Amino acid sequence: MPKKNKNLKQKAVSGVIWTALQKYSTMLIQFISGIILARLLTPYDYGCIGMLMIFMLLAESFIDGGFGSALIQKKQPTQTDYSTIFFWNMGLSAVLYAVLYMSAPTIARFYGIPLLSDILRVQGTILFIYAFNIVQRNQLQKKMNFKVLSIVTILTSVTALTITVIMAYHGYGVWALVAQNMLTALIPALVFWFYVRWRPQFTFSWQSFRELFSFGFYMFLTHLLNQFGQQIQGLLIGRFYNASTMGYYSKANGTERLASTSISKVMSQVTYPLYAEMQDDKTALGDMIKKITLTLAYITFPLMFILLLCAKPLFILLYSDRWADSVPYFQVLCIAGLAYSLQSVNYQSVAAIGKSRTMFVWTFVKRAMGIVFVVAGLLLDGMRGLLVGMVLNTWFSYFVNIWLVSKHIGYSWQRQLIDITPVLLASLSAAALTYAVGTICSLPLYADGLLKLVVFVALYAAWSALSHPEAYQYFCVAAKPLVKKIKRKNIKNKKN
């Protein structure tokens, strides 16, 4: 194996391990946070934050502007490149905050909740923090220094959770969630500023800006459309329903996304810079996409079906009876989660080979169709129709993404569907049999949830052991370095 590819593989394995540690530690912290805060705060509190999410995410998209992706995609960015983007981001954040500040009263009137004006003006200061931090974070990602990123993220999550719980306990309500969002942005920004030791030069190059802009502009438009498409349902729910309904939806959506993207986000932080390094070798890139897709499907598909089957006991156990109205929303969203879990694998591979303009065009198509699905669903069948529209939108986006990979990389969409079909059928069959067993036994709520969990896992494990599908083999290969690392650590601890 060439030395360069060997080094890339070592960095990738190390990156996956550290990113997995960071992601699952953060997920555990978010899990604990959700349990505690769901008992201290109300659906109304979560709904207020959820209503403003679209405005915050769109503003953050403007600040990134695709330049973060452009800097990673560029093989050797210069100090001038970094300084130019830093000052551009800082200036743009000031403009965007001014727009948010002046628009806050209008947004509050749109939703009919005066408190939202003050919340948006305070939370909007995150834009400055994000702009201040983006170059340092980008440098760590480009160098694949995921160890530092992981440690800082974990410590940030613990600190933010502790302060948020204290504030929620003392009755600060929605302001506790505002503090959590601000601390999650502020702590890494300060740490990375002193750790990376990169400082901007007082220079701004229009040549550098135009060069990065040529790639980053379409990435920016793509990201902007994605954010708007993903948040449009929150805008509609907040406008046509109330803050509590928005809160139920936010909890259901947040829990589903935590499950469906927990593994793909681990992969995506590592794979995008890795894809960028391999962009000239389409055969190797296609092979990597296949392995990652099957590994993700093998883990995520059964997880989504288990959550769908056990949704009611899970929500009541974790969040209390107060959140029972989130259950039907969550179950529908789990169907979308099957496709959503595979989105980033295909999306990032097309971005890494420099097809930013193509991505923008097709993202426009995907999001336009998504708005049609969601609005039509809302008009035809209210909240349930809106959620079905989200499911259709997610699967439509997935089919577009795999078609783009087929066209530009060579891993055909037919082959990808054939590859994931065994995992999907096995998960669906196990879910159907598990549901039948639960219906026949008719146990109390928590006993029913436990029975379904045991039966599903047993059926899925039996299928894996008996048929040894390709996805299972890729999963074992991917998990091997992590298992070895854990074993070495245990041996070392025993010797000490």
Side-chain angles (χ1 to χ4, degrees):
M1 180 184 292
K3 186 175 181 180
K4 182 180 178 181
N5 289 341
K6 186 176 181 180
N7 290 336
L8 279 175
K9 182 178 179 181
Q10 290 173 345
K11 286 183 177 180
V13 171
S14 176
V16 168
I17 292 172
W18 276 106
T19 308
L21 176 63
Q22 171 249 305
K23 183 59 189 177
Y24 293 118
S25 297
T26 304
M27 186 172 70
L28 178 61
I29 295 165
Q30 289 176 343
F31 182 68
I32 296 171
S33 171
I35 294 173
I36 298 172
L37 294 177
R39 286 167 165 76
L40 296 173
L41 301 174
T42 66
Y44 178 88
D45 295 326
Y46 279 92
C48 287
I49 294 295
M51 288 175 176
L52 299 178
M53 192 60 67
I54 186 170
F55 303 102
M56 290 300 302
L57 290 177
L58 289 177
E60 289 177 6
S61 296
F62 272 96
I63 292 174
D64 184 354
F67 291 119
S69 298
L71 287 169
I72 291 178
Q73 201 268 347
K74 186 174 182 178
K75 291 186 177 180
Q76 292 183 328
T78 65
Q79 170 70 2
T80 300
D81 292 331
Y82 285 123
S83 298
T84 297
I85 299 310
F86 177 83
F87 287 115
W88 169 262
N89 285 340
M90 292 303 295
L92 188 59
S93 66
V95 173
L96 290 173
Y97 179 74
V99 172
L100 284 181
Y101 188 92
M102 291 185 290
S103 304
T106 302
I107 294 171
R109 285 194 297 272
F110 174 79
Y111 289 121
I113 303 176
L115 178 63
L116 294 182
S117 179
D118 291 336
I119 294 173
L120 184 58
R121 285 175 169 175
V122 173
Q123 188 160 290
T125 57
I126 290 176
L127 297 179
F128 294 104
I129 302 170
Y130 185 62
F132 184 78
N133 173 236
I134 194 170
V135 170
Q136 290 87 344
R137 185 182 291 273
N138 174 274
Q139 290 182 342
L140 290 171
Q141 283 183 305
K142 190 169 183 66
K143 294 175 182 176
M144 294 190 177
N145 194 343
F146 297 104
K147 179 178 180 179
V148 173
L149 286 166
S150 301
I151 292 172
V152 172
T153 301
I154 293 169
L155 293 177
T156 297
S157 299
V158 172
T159 304
L161 169 61
T162 302
I163 295 174
T164 303
V165 169
I166 292 172
M167 290 182 67
Y169 180 77
H170 285 91
Y172 283 91
V174 67
W175 291 106
L177 295 175
V178 173
Q180 185 179 39
N181 292 337
M182 295 188 69
L183 287 169
T184 301
L186 180 61
I187 295 172
L190 294 175
V191 174
F192 292 151
W193 180 260
F194 290 104
Y195 178 83
V196 175
R197 297 193 180 282
W198 172 86
R199 297 295 180 267
Q201 294 178 347
F202 289 98
T203 182
F204 187 94
S205 169
W206 283 109
Q207 180 180 351
S208 176
F209 181 84
R210 284 192 296 268
E211 181 184 343
L212 293 167
F213 189 75
S214 63
F215 176 84
F217 175 67
Y218 288 109
M219 288 298 295
F220 154 66
L221 291 178
T222 301
H223 187 59
L224 190 67
L225 286 172
N226 276 329
Q227 291 291 7
F228 182 78
Q230 290 170 10
Q231 299 299 323
I232 183 65
Q233 56 272 6
L235 186 70
L236 294 172
I237 295 169
R239 181 66 180 86
F240 293 103
Y241 294 90
N242 53 43
S244 293
T245 301
M246 182 67 199
Y248 292 129
Y249 164 77
S250 296
K251 179 61 71 176
N253 188 56
T255 305
E256 182 275 314
R257 288 295 165 88
L258 188 65
S260 65
T261 65
S262 60
I263 301 185
S264 61
K265 282 184 177 179
V266 170
M267 296 290 189
S268 65
Q269 289 188 42
V270 178
T271 53
Y272 183 68
L274 196 59
Y275 285 160
E277 291 284 345
M278 300 174 63
Q279 59 185 281
D280 297 325
D281 189 347
K282 300 293 178 58
T283 302
L285 188 55
D287 186 54
M288 178 172 286
I289 294 169
K290 176 182 177 179
K291 291 177 180 178
I292 295 173
T293 296
L294 290 184
T295 302
L296 284 173
Y298 180 79
I299 302 169
T300 309
F301 282 14
L303 175 62
M304 300 315 298
F305 279 108
I306 288 173
L307 291 174
L308 191 154
L309 290 167
C310 303
K312 188 172 183 179
L314 178 70
F315 264 71
I316 292 177
L317 175 65
L318 297 179
Y319 306 131
S320 79
D321 291 339
R322 176 188 292 177
W323 295 92
D325 287 349
S326 292
V327 171
Y329 302 165
F330 176 74
Q331 289 176 314
V332 176
L333 292 173
C334 282
I335 305 301
L338 295 170
Y340 197 79
S341 65
L342 304 179
Q343 293 277 21
S344 64
V345 179
N346 296 281
Y347 176 86
Q348 287 192 330
S349 62
V350 179
I353 61 174
K355 298 292 182 180
S356 57
R357 186 176 184 277
T358 300
M359 289 181 63
F360 163 68
V361 172
W362 282 101
T363 297
F364 181 82
V365 173
K366 288 187 294 184
R367 295 314 170 193
M369 287 300 299
I371 292 173
V372 171
F373 287 138
V374 170
V375 173
L378 178 66
L379 294 176
L380 292 173
D381 199 18
M383 261 308 280
R384 184 170 59 182
L386 181 146
L387 293 170
V388 171
M390 289 180 62
V391 174
L392 294 175
N393 175 33
T394 304
W395 279 97
F396 176 76
S397 297
Y398 170 70
F399 287 127
V400 170
N401 287 348
I402 63 175
W403 177 78
L404 289 173
V405 168
S406 177
K407 180 179 180 181
H408 296 290
I409 296 175
Y411 180 27
S412 72
W413 64 269
Q414 298 97 327
R415 185 72 256 170
Q416 186 166 162
L417 291 177
I418 291 171
D419 286 340
I420 67 171
T421 295
V423 182
L424 181 60
L425 290 178
S427 301
L428 184 60
S429 300
L433 290 171
T434 300
Y435 180 77
V437 170
T439 302
I440 293 171
C441 293
S442 189
L443 298 175
L445 184 66
Y446 294 130
D448 177 68
L450 181 61
L451 174 67
K452 288 177 178 176
L453 174 63
V454 171
V455 171
F456 187 98
V457 171
L459 290 171
Y460 194 73
W463 168 73
S464 299
L466 293 174
S467 63
H468 284 274
E470 195 173 19
Y472 170 70
Q473 296 173 36
Y474 286 141
F475 167 74
C476 291
V477 171
K480 197 172 182 180
L482 182 59
V483 172
K484 285 183 177 179
K485 190 177 182 71
I486 293 172
K487 285 182 177 179
R488 285 198 300 266
K489 187 174 181 180
N490 289 336
I491 292 172
K492 185 177 179 181
N493 289 336
K494 287 178 180 179
K495 287 181 178 178
N496 294 335

